[in-house]
Amino acid sequence: MKINMANLNKQHEMIRSEIDAAIKEVIDDSQFIMGQKVLDFEEQFAIFSGAKYAIGMASGTGALHSALLALDIGKGDEVITVPFTFAATVETIYPTAAKPVFVDIESESFNIDPSLLEEKITSKTKAIMPVHLYGQMADMKPIMEIAEKHQLYVIEDAAQAHGATYFDDQAGTMGDIGTFSFYPGKNLGAMGDAGACVTNDLELNHKIRLISNHGQDTKYEHKIVGYNYRLDSIQAAILSVKLKYLSEWNSRRSEIANQYNEKLSGTGLKLPSEVEGRRHSWHQFVIRTSKRDELAEALAESGIATAIHYPIPLHLQPSFRYLGYTEGDFPVSEKCGKEVLSLPLYPELSPDDIELICSEVILSCEKLGI
Ligand SMILES: *Cc1c(COP(=O)(O)O)cnc(C)c1O
């Protein structure tokens, strides 16, 4: 491949000396778990995300599971979310013994369709879990109104939406808890697994900390049954270095997305849009076409990598068969699964890379009659 879906080497080259120094500090200090570096990053990430509290977590998946547990969601409860997301969103509901209930997505934003939400609410519904897919926030105003009316919690899966906004509000801060992933390929990526929860609620902040640390705030005094979902100091130190660049990197992503939208506007591809009032963090640039597989193949032949996020909606996955859904239940998600294609989008793409990608996409579209 001439152009891959990410180029972390290039990203790290630019900040290598800072990263090396940060890791060295942790080694010299040897506070690998719950060290000062974790507290520092939590403070910095709270400021970045506009939340009162940020809690470092071992992964985005651990953050989601902890959020559900902190809100006492468990057996007999239902949690409403989407089938068109990464599996982690839904797999974290399983160990709480609550039941995931799916709502289809809007075709335009790829996010939960608020107009289909209310009909899925039952006396067992405890929470709504919108996902800000690809970096664009879900339509949070109607979601929050419905949540308030029915007294439901809201957990925002903001794993792909660091820095995204919905009018004046930032991703992760509108619901009760927001969760982030720092998987290496995310807009803010660790050098391993890492994540965070954010909240404006002091008690939830405390409870998530307990859950992530074996239920203890004083060593060997276990108040509740917890887990080991702690962020480690080396990842925290790396994240603090990278966080300084995140706004700049997000701006570059946005610039590239605008160029793609401009240059590819003459093709028959359905291009992604930034809904008015929402700042997209452009985690992925996702186009749609019914000739998706042919286009992906043509681009691969020209040395351009693409990816499909996500080919099979979760209601059709073997792992979630136990929920009893079948083909046809979520037509928009199913159609998107067949048509979406992510083009390479990351801050390290050079103008030449973008030029090459656009010309190859246009050429392939002409060949394929798209
Ligand atoms: C990446 C991701 C997660 C999981 O995060 P990890 O840090 O990999 O555990 C959850 N939800 C969504 C939407 C994601 O993209």
Side-chain angles (χ1 to χ4, degrees), residues 41 45 48-49 57-65 67 81-82 84-92 111 129-138 140 155-164 170-173 177-190 192-198 239 246 250 253 280-284 309-310:
F41 173 70
F45 193 69
F48 175 86
S49 58
M57 305 293 296
S59 68
T61 306
L64 280 164
H65 187 208
T81 188
V82 286
F84 196 68
T85 177
F86 180 59
T89 311
V90 181
E91 81 195 6
T92 58
N111 284 324
M129 215 195 243
V131 181
H132 305 318
L133 202 71
Y134 307 145
Q136 177 154 254
M137 285 180 71
M140 290 301 287
I155 299 169
E156 296 174 62
D157 184 346
Q160 305 187 358
H162 322 71
Q170 288 183 256
T173 65
I177 302 171
T179 66
F180 289 87
S181 164
F182 307 125
Y183 178 85
K186 298 282 158 79
N187 287 32
L188 176 62
D193 278 311
C197 288
V198 299
L239 287 166
L246 182 55
N250 277 350
R253 282 176 185 269
H280 205 308
S281 71
W282 294 108
H283 176 57
Q284 299 293 352
H309 304 103
Y310 300 90

Side-chain angles (χ1 to χ4, degrees), residues 106 109 111-115 117 128-133 136-149 152-158 161 164-179 275-278:
E106 299 172 320
S109 73
N111 284 324
I112 192 164
D113 186 339
S115 72
L117 187 51
I128 307 169
M129 215 195 243
V131 181
H132 305 318
L133 202 71
Q136 177 154 254
M137 285 180 71
D139 194 1
M140 290 301 287
K141 187 167 182 275
I143 295 168
M144 294 308 294
E145 282 167 3
I146 292 166
E148 205 156 306
K149 181 173 156 198
L152 305 175
Y153 294 121
V154 174
I155 299 169
E156 296 174 62
D157 184 346
T165 58
Y166 183 92
F167 296 93
D168 294 331
D169 290 299
Q170 288 183 256
T173 65
M174 296 185 77
D176 297 277
I177 302 171
T179 66
V275 182
E276 186 160 342
R278 298 185 219 177

Side-chain angles (χ1 to χ4, degrees), residues 7 35 40 46 54 64 80 100 105 110 119 125-126 134 138 151 187 205 219 222 254 295 305 335 341 348:
N7 190 343
D40 291 348
L64 280 164
I80 295 179
I105 56 167
F110 302 104
E119 67 198 53
T125 309
K126 264 297 242 333
Y134 307 145
Q151 302 270 296
N187 287 32
N205 166 52
K219 205 163 192 183
H222 304 274
S254 174
L295 179 61
K335 193 151 195 277
L341 187 68
E348 295 75 27

Side-chain angles (χ1 to χ4, degrees), residues 147-338:
E148 205 156 306
K149 181 173 156 198
H150 296 272
Q151 302 270 296
L152 305 175
Y153 294 121
V154 174
I155 299 169
E156 296 174 62
D157 184 346
Q160 305 187 358
H162 322 71
T165 58
Y166 183 92
F167 296 93
D168 294 331
D169 290 299
Q170 288 183 256
T173 65
M174 296 185 77
D176 297 277
I177 302 171
T179 66
F180 289 87
S181 164
F182 307 125
Y183 178 85
K186 298 282 158 79
N187 287 32
L188 176 62
M191 293 184 170
D193 278 311
C197 288
V198 299
T199 181
N200 290 322
D201 184 300
L202 177 63
E203 253 174 67
L204 286 176
N205 166 52
H206 185 61
K207 197 150 175 213
I208 294 164
R209 283 179 195 283
L210 285 182
I211 290 163
S212 72
N213 186 31
H214 306 292
Q216 57 186 359
D217 48 15
T218 311
K219 205 163 192 183
Y220 305 131
E221 213 179 290
H222 304 274
K223 299 218 166 85
I224 55 173
V225 178
Y227 293 80
N228 178 354
Y229 280 154
R230 295 173 305 225
L231 175 66
D232 72 73
S233 303
I234 287 187
Q235 296 308 333
I238 292 165
L239 287 166
S240 283
V241 170
K242 288 185 148 195
L243 182 59
K244 292 187 292 179
Y245 300 94
L246 182 55
S247 296
E248 191 185 316
W249 287 340
N250 277 350
S251 302
R252 178 72 189 134
R253 282 176 185 269
S254 174
E255 249 173 50
I256 297 169
N258 289 340
Q259 287 173 13
Y260 279 162
N261 267 326
E262 214 178 282
K263 294 193 165 124
L264 302 178
S265 62
T267 67
L269 296 169
K270 182 159 173 26
L271 300 171
S273 57
E274 196 164 22
V275 182
E276 186 160 342
R278 298 185 219 177
R279 184 172 75 210
H280 205 308
S281 71
W282 294 108
H283 176 57
Q284 299 293 352
F285 187 91
V286 179
I287 58 177
R288 279 177 67 176
T289 164
S290 57
K291 295 184 181 163
R292 187 263 315 274
D293 293 336
E294 294 97 311
L295 179 61
E297 202 177 314
L299 290 172
E301 275 166 22
S302 320
I304 292 165
T306 56
I308 300 171
H309 304 103
Y310 300 90
I312 306 168
L314 299 180
H315 67 290
L316 301 178
Q317 296 277 0
S319 56
F320 297 111
R321 202 169 283 152
Y322 77 97
L323 295 171
Y325 293 112
T326 57
E327 189 137 17
D329 283 346
F330 304 101
V332 183
S333 296
E334 289 168 25
K335 193 151 195 277
C336 286
K338 294 188 180 98

